[in-house]
Amino acid sequence: MSTTYNVIGTRPVRHDGADKVTGRALYGADLQLARMIQGAILRSPHAHARILRIDTSKAEALPGVYAVVTAADFPPAPADKIVDFGEGDTPLSSLRGNILASGKVLYSGHAVAAVAAVNAHVAAEAAALIEVDYEPLPCVLTAPEAMAPGAPILHEEFANGNVADQIRYEMGDLAAGFAQATLIVERELDTATVHQGYIEPQNATAFWSSDGRIHIWCSTQGSFVARDATAAVLDVPVSQVKVTPMEIGGGFGGKINVYLEPVAALLSKKAGRPVKLVMSRRDVFTGTGPTPGSRVRVKIGVNDAGKITAAQSWLAYEAGAYPGAMVVPGAMTVFACYDIENVLIEGFDVVVNKPSTAAYRAPGAPNSALATETVLDEIAEKLGIDPLELRLRNAAKEGTRRADGPRYKRIGCVEVLEAMKASPHYNAPLPGPHCGRGVAIGFWFNAGLPSSATLSVNADGTVNLIEGSTDIGGSRTSLSMQAAEVLGLRAEDIHPTVVDTDSVGYTGVTGGSRTTFSTGLAVHDAAQMVVEQMKARAARLWAVEAVEFANGVFSANGQSLTFAELAAQLGSTGGPVSCSATVNPKGVGGSIAGLIIDVKVDPETGKTDVLRVTSVQDAGKAIHPAYVEGQMQGGTAQGIGWALNEEYFMDNSGDMRNGSYLDYRMPTALDLPMIETVIVEVPNPGHPFGVRGVGEANIVPPLAACANAIYRATGKRLNRVPMNPATILGL
Amino acid sequence: MATVFFPSLVRQQTGGLAKIEVAGATVGELMIAIEARFPGISQHLLRPNLAISVDDEVTPLGVLEPVRPDSEVHFIAAISGG
Amino acid sequence: MSAKVQVQTTINNEPVEFLCEPRQSLLECLRDVVGLTGTKEGCGDGNCGSCTVKLGDRIVTSCLVLGVEANGESITTVEGLAHGNTLHPLQKAFLEHAALQCGICTPGFLIAADALLQKHPQPTEEQTRFWLANNLCRCTGYDKIIRAVQAAATEITTTKSNGAAQ
Ligand code: FES
Ligand code: FES
């Protein structure tokens, strides 16, 4: 009983496509303004040190330098002020502390001072002239070490040493559950710090005008969050800041936090000119949020029927320099795919001398799923059950209670597992020796949060769409398609524009897989309002009470007008039609993703070749299937890089030794095969078209799927990610 | 009466009690009743990084969200993602 | 600040003269001096390929070439791929196959793929992946990019042979 749509489910060319293939689209670093000058940031060479003295006089004296700022240039503010951006609270001191260090530096790469000069070269020369006296302190780089007694302490004011936060979920009777088990498997796995790796470095241009208004141009996942954070850091009202979002070259969670915006603003205030700051690639690696390294233990008990009787997990995630390690979502998702009665989960958010971590696609979930999904693989093997069958026997369903409390509404876990089982890939033989096939699944919640949209009808029958969700992967089009579906138009009849924070209602980040869902809902609601107003115009024109609207045609009593025909008559029936909607929706639908992967491991070199990959995900409803596939393929590729190769390689002093793309080595076109996709559609009852959001769950399974495939190829259960040749050969 | 579940780490304030049944028309009314029974508990439950879930859905209305007699109320971590 | 040098080039078939410092990269000259910001900077050290341009008859990562080295050379950037308002078959294929998400890597891929198709008009998947391995994309997992390049190759060859037949 699937609904039929005219536009939804088709694959139109994106509205911003021509600009993006011809080089016309303007990304943050492309901005040129009259009198604009450029900046550079001085970063700490120490992972942990007290700042004794900063002398900026030589930098200020260099010809061509306009301004130098340090943390001393922040306006005074109460140290304990809590800033709430609608998802979690951050103390202002942490927010500021990460932007420009004061008192201590907490990681190698921590920003200490900034310079604005006539060009970037002079700014870099001037930054090198800033003298900073440090008193180096011992550093601590991993969660287990940071939790040990006697570890160097990052924040003396914390009550529990380096443990910034703790979380615990419990359900049922754990001991009784394990007592019922006939097989118990327990494993502990570590993952390394990895980076989101977006190709476009962070950038921000700011102009602090003489009237006190601050205009920011930047590449951000959320212009309103960037506005609010900048205002909080600078202690000015939000209305004093306007953020114009430029095109954004990838984010994956890493472009939600602000790093440069307030610094550019402070420099601009001193210099009286617009100031542009652009990070180098090394700055991106060492100065922006990677995702946490982690240690996760999982213990699962099953009975002879393969039913899980109890599950326990202990998680310690590295927050980096400031709290917020994503251990909470890690803990919430560790068993989220399964229906388990007896559960205990304990999580620890641990600060270490690494860059402050940020969200990365289903943040926290890949780390914990790695442990659960490899333990389940081992259980399936020991019980002699197909690994997908074992998962099916325990799959979460509507009504299943998660360990953090709530029960699932409609969820596609069984459907995803069935689709994996039925896929041609799963039923194909492996190509030869040293090959192995691994499977795993994962869950992400997705998010709601506020979104706004305005639709204005043009006299030619097209519609302008104004929205505030920055477009990272085609959301202009997936939103336009939802408007077009309601209005009976074609996707090309909608003209979407992403505007600045003064020009549209509040809109949350493009993150949490929420844009197609939440902004989509705002667009849907605004479109319905347009339909109602247009009906009223037709009713006025025909002097009738009720007007029907279907497939883009208004009709009553045998008369009819197409949308375009009626649009042409708006002027004479009361004036233009324009409708806005702002939503803050419930009805978020979580997404389950699964991965099947075949690898071949060279027994001599330990190198893993990826032979075949199939990504399966519940989209709810795929608005633009090509973009859904793109999300699945992108998340899968990132997950494979994370599983097999990527890591922050830090020396004992906390210096990142592989802070370039050459040495960090993300997957290239040559490292991957085609990535097959299977879109499962279990409509989300909370969205008019059934949308769930597909940006994140796809990165959850690859770590475990790779581990399981490598086990089947080599007979080795590895306890560390990345599973690079050194790990595989046990070096 | 609606059922309010206490997060594991807040159960120190409730003497280990995991959930409680209380009467009220909104989450806010439930909270007044709970605060009366466990003074000071609200500050552990009504925090910016905890979202309120009523009948298995996070509500943007927070304490203003209406509850039914058979409603379940949870305090869960507020997260959105990447 | 050092003295500026005059550089004479042909960019996208038009003569362009500019002044630059000897230390400025070709990438910086294109973006900041000439104002052609279609070519992107992802790393500045030759490892991402987003700054790829055609210099003479070879493709280079323009962040590793000095502006002064371009004197007397002809350069093709992403802005020069389309003919007026008619997109290059690669540009069309990238749009039709959804081969871009954020699009920051796209200019570099288009230039590199154009050079590939000039050398190997019908590249195999392996050849395509090998050739494009210097261009990083973090959004797409490469699948749709490879398919778009192969579709464009077919399109170009078909158009050529149809043209020859007529
Ligand atoms: S910017 Fe030139 S290769 Fe990355
Ligand atoms: S499309 Fe974003 S990096 Fe390639």
Side-chain angles (χ1 to χ4, degrees):
Chain A
M1 35 149 259
S2 78
T3 325
T4 52
Y5 295 112
N6 293 320
V7 181
I8 286 171
T10 64
R11 303 175 178 229
V13 165
R14 59 196 284 170
H15 296 75
D16 52 343
D19 281 352
K20 284 184 174 161
V21 296
T22 56
R24 277 199 306 271
L26 290 178
Y27 294 73
D30 301 339
L31 185 73
Q32 301 284 354
L33 297 171
R35 303 178 73 242
M36 187 178 83
I37 56 176
Q38 299 201 30
I41 305 261
L42 177 70
R43 296 179 181 276
S44 167
H46 301 287
H48 195 191
R50 220 172 290 287
I51 300 173
L52 303 176
R53 184 185 70 105
I54 304 180
D55 183 349
T56 59
S57 55
K58 287 198 183 114
E60 279 158 14
L62 187 75
V65 169
Y66 285 83
V68 182
V69 299
T70 66
D73 291 286
F74 286 134
D80 59 350
K81 188 173 163 190
I82 300 290
V83 190
D84 173 20
F85 301 116
E87 60 150 330
D89 52 350
T90 312
L92 179 59
S93 53
S94 302
L95 200 58
R96 279 187 174 177
N98 195 39
I99 290 169
L100 282 173
S102 90
K104 286 211 297 190
V105 288
L106 297 170
Y107 55 96
S108 173
H110 201 159
V112 173
V115 182
V118 61
N119 62 43
H121 297 283
V122 176
E125 280 171 27
L129 292 175
I130 298 173
E131 291 170 3
V132 187
D133 290 347
Y134 295 102
E135 177 197 337
L137 300 168
C139 66
V140 60
L141 297 172
T142 67
E145 284 163 7
M147 295 171 84
I153 298 294
L154 275 76
H155 301 272
E156 285 84 4
E157 67 278 16
F158 284 7
N160 295 314
N162 292 321
V163 176
D165 197 10
Q166 251 187 76
I167 186 95
R168 188 166 65 199
Y169 299 118
E170 49 189 325
M171 267 196 319
D173 184 337
L174 194 74
F178 278 122
Q180 289 163 28
T182 49
L183 172 65
I184 296 175
V185 173
E186 182 173 10
R187 290 269 173 189
E188 178 178 276
L189 290 104
D190 289 351
T191 69
T193 303
V194 297
H195 199 273
Q196 295 83 351
Y198 36 80
I199 306 296
E200 179 205 36
Q202 263 84 358
N203 56 78
T205 303
F207 181 55
W208 196 315
S209 164
S210 49
D211 63 8
R213 287 214 83 196
I214 303 164
H215 193 167
I216 309 265
W217 298 259
C218 59
S219 302
T220 176
Q221 288 180 242
S223 47
F224 283 88
V225 169
R227 177 195 71 171
D228 294 359
T230 302
V233 168
L234 300 175
D235 199 27
V236 299
V238 289
S239 60
Q240 205 172 312
V241 181
K242 168 161 111 175
V243 172
T244 298
M246 305 296 288
E247 296 303 333
I248 168 172
F252 316 112
K255 286 189 186 149
I256 298 173
N257 293 347
V258 299
Y259 299 97
L260 299 175
E261 290 83 347
V263 180
L266 285 175
L267 287 167
S268 172
K269 189 180 189 188
K270 275 198 179 177
R273 287 168 174 253
V275 175
K276 175 153 88 176
L277 287 171
V278 182
M279 285 196 192
S280 69
R281 179 52 50 183
R282 183 166 174 88
D283 286 357
V284 173
F285 275 122
T286 63
T288 71
T291 205
S294 58
R295 171 163 293 177
V296 179
R297 275 200 296 278
V298 158
K299 177 178 169 186
I300 294 177
V302 290
N303 63 21
D304 288 334
K307 179 77 190 119
I308 299 174
T309 59
Q312 183 176 7
S313 181
W314 180 96
L315 311 92
Y317 282 31
E318 300 161 7
Y322 296 93
M326 306 295 170
V327 71
V328 174
M332 288 166 88
T333 54
V334 61
F335 300 129
C337 292
Y338 304 106
D339 182 6
I340 313 176
E341 223 170 290
N342 308 300
V343 179
L344 175 63
I345 303 165
E346 294 168 285
F348 298 87
D349 184 13
V350 187
V351 291
V352 297
N353 294 112
K354 287 183 180 174
S356 191
T357 54
Y360 178 20
R361 225 172 187 151
N367 313 48
S368 61
L370 168 66
T372 301
E373 294 292 304
T374 50
V375 164
L376 285 178
D377 193 63
E378 195 171 338
I379 288 173
E381 189 198 12
K382 289 192 166 141
L383 291 181
I385 304 179
D386 173 88
L388 292 176
E389 177 56 32
L390 175 70
R391 287 168 172 83
L392 272 168
R393 289 184 196 175
N394 295 282
K397 299 182 186 70
E398 185 167 357
T400 295
R401 192 179 290 286
R402 287 202 318 258
D404 56 311
R407 294 157 301 193
Y408 282 115
K409 306 262 176 186
R410 190 77 178 84
I411 184 88
C413 192
V414 168
E415 289 81 353
V416 165
L417 285 163
E418 297 283 9
M420 291 169 78
K421 244 180 135 173
S423 70
H425 181 174
Y426 197 64
N427 295 291
L430 280 166
H434 309 300
C435 293
R437 175 169 299 153
V439 295
I441 60 171
F443 167 77
W444 188 251
F445 305 92
N446 298 339
L449 301 176
S451 274
S452 306
T454 299
L455 292 171
S456 307
V457 181
N458 297 313
D460 62 4
T462 65
V463 173
N464 296 340
L465 162 61
I466 300 294
E467 43 122 349
S469 287
T470 55
D471 183 352
I472 315 186
S475 56
R476 283 179 179 91
T477 302
S478 63
L479 296 172
S480 295
M481 290 171 75
Q482 296 184 61
E485 188 67 48
V486 175
L487 298 173
L489 300 175
R490 300 167 310 158
E492 306 86 78
D493 296 329
I494 313 292
H495 303 301
T497 309
V498 180
V499 295
D500 64 70
T501 51
D502 281 4
S503 308
V504 65
Y506 191 96
T507 298
V509 294
T510 297
S513 305
R514 61 173 289 281
T515 301
T516 308
F517 168 78
S518 211
T519 311
L521 193 61
V523 168
H524 169 270
D525 289 2
Q528 284 202 321
M529 291 156 73
V530 167
V531 168
E532 287 312 310
Q533 292 203 16
M534 300 270 288
K535 275 186 183 172
R537 299 305 178 83
R540 184 176 293 165
L541 203 60
W542 296 327
V544 295
E545 287 288 310
V547 172
E548 295 285 307
F549 179 68
N551 293 318
V553 178
F554 296 88
S555 59
N557 298 344
Q559 312 181 76
S560 71
L561 284 172
T562 65
F563 188 95
E565 286 164 348
L566 184 56
Q569 298 197 45
L570 290 179
S572 54
T573 57
V577 166
S578 173
C579 299
S580 297
T582 295
V583 299
N584 192 7
K586 292 202 262 184
V588 176
S591 181
I592 299 272
L595 193 76
I596 309 166
I597 188 165
D598 295 354
V599 302
K600 179 170 189 176
V601 183
D602 185 321
E604 308 227 322
T605 63
K607 180 171 185 298
T608 300
D609 284 326
V610 179
L611 305 177
R612 187 172 180 184
V613 191
T614 302
S615 173
V616 182
Q617 187 171 358
D618 177 13
K621 177 70 199 171
I623 300 291
H624 191 305
Y627 297 163
V628 173
E629 292 161 6
Q631 290 296 318
M632 294 163 70
Q633 290 163 337
T636 298
Q638 287 181 316
I640 291 172
W642 188 345
L644 297 182
N645 194 59
E646 293 176 35
E647 71 178 307
Y648 272 45
F649 189 85
M650 320 282 282
D651 64 20
N652 291 338
S653 72
D655 187 31
M656 183 180 185
R657 301 306 295 271
N658 61 338
S660 75
Y661 273 147
L662 181 66
D663 298 320
Y664 181 77
R665 193 58 178 78
M666 307 192 311
T668 70
L670 202 51
D671 298 319
L672 295 168
M674 292 297 186
I675 299 171
E676 296 162 57
T677 54
V678 179
I679 300 174
V680 173
E681 292 185 322
V682 179
N684 169 19
H687 187 278
F689 301 126
V691 170
R692 289 182 184 272
V694 291
E696 298 175 280
N698 41 57
I699 202 175
V700 184
L703 275 63
C706 287
N708 295 337
I710 288 171
Y711 168 72
R712 307 273 166 172
T714 64
K716 289 184 196 167
R717 292 248 175 235
L718 304 175
N719 59 4
R720 176 179 186 273
V721 161
M723 295 168 283
N724 55 20
T727 309
I728 288 174
L729 297 179
L731 301 175
Chain B
M1 289 209 282
T3 309
V4 177
F5 290 74
F6 298 114
S8 180
L9 291 175
V10 175
R11 292 177 203 163
Q12 293 155 3
Q13 324 291 321
T14 64
L17 196 67
K19 58 184 179 183
I20 189 172
E21 297 205 343
V22 273
T26 64
V27 174
E29 290 182 22
L30 304 180
M31 288 307 301
I32 290 169
I34 293 171
E35 177 71 22
R37 170 117 186 245
F38 304 109
I41 198 168
S42 304
Q43 71 187 60
H44 297 283
L45 295 174
L46 304 179
R47 295 166 37 186
N49 57 3
L50 284 184
I52 296 173
S53 156
V54 175
D55 297 326
D56 308 313
E57 282 205 77
V58 170
T59 164
L61 286 180
V63 292
L64 300 178
E65 180 73 21
V67 291
R68 297 190 315 258
D70 62 344
S71 283
E72 270 197 13
V73 179
H74 294 271
F75 298 88
I76 65 170
I79 49 166
S80 69
Chain C
M1 253 176 291
S2 36
K4 292 197 172 174
V5 180
Q6 186 179 24
V7 178
Q8 290 195 325
T9 59
T10 305
I11 304 181
N12 301 329
N13 291 322
E14 287 176 16
V16 177
E17 270 180 48
F18 59 86
L19 287 176
C20 72
E21 292 181 40
R23 65 180 168 185
Q24 286 184 292
S25 68
L26 175 59
L27 174 62
E28 202 184 335
C29 294
L30 288 171
R31 291 175 52 81
D32 291 357
V33 182
V34 182
L36 288 172
T37 56
T39 306
K40 305 301 179 191
E41 173 162 359
C43 68
D45 52 19
N47 292 310
C48 75
S50 46
C51 65
T52 305
V53 299
K54 197 167 169 199
L55 179 69
D57 57 4
R58 63 201 177 111
I59 51 169
V60 295
T61 45
S62 60
C63 65
L64 293 187
V65 176
L66 290 172
V68 293
E69 291 181 79
N71 193 31
E73 298 274 2
S74 87
I75 299 163
T76 308
T77 70
V78 67
E79 288 95 339
L81 273 186
H83 283 285
N85 277 337
T86 310
L87 294 180
H88 186 283
L90 274 165
Q91 292 172 312
K92 258 191 255 163
F94 267 56
L95 293 180
E96 279 158 13
H97 292 261
L100 55 146
Q101 284 181 35
C102 78
I104 198 86
C105 66
T106 308
F109 270 101
L110 288 169
I111 294 289
D114 183 41
L116 165 68
L117 297 190
Q118 278 167 26
K119 189 158 177 174
H120 305 287
Q122 294 250 266
T124 63
E125 180 185 337
E126 185 72 8
Q127 273 175 323
T128 310
R129 289 186 179 277
F130 185 78
W131 187 277
L132 296 177
N134 192 46
N135 291 75
L136 292 177
C137 173
R138 191 59 156 174
C139 297
T140 63
Y142 304 103
D143 182 298
K144 292 186 189 304
I145 294 177
I146 305 298
R147 290 180 200 279
V149 173
Q150 297 196 310
T154 308
E155 163 76 21
I156 293 168
T157 333
T158 323
T159 317
K160 271 196 191 138
S161 59
N162 285 351
Q166 275 164 16

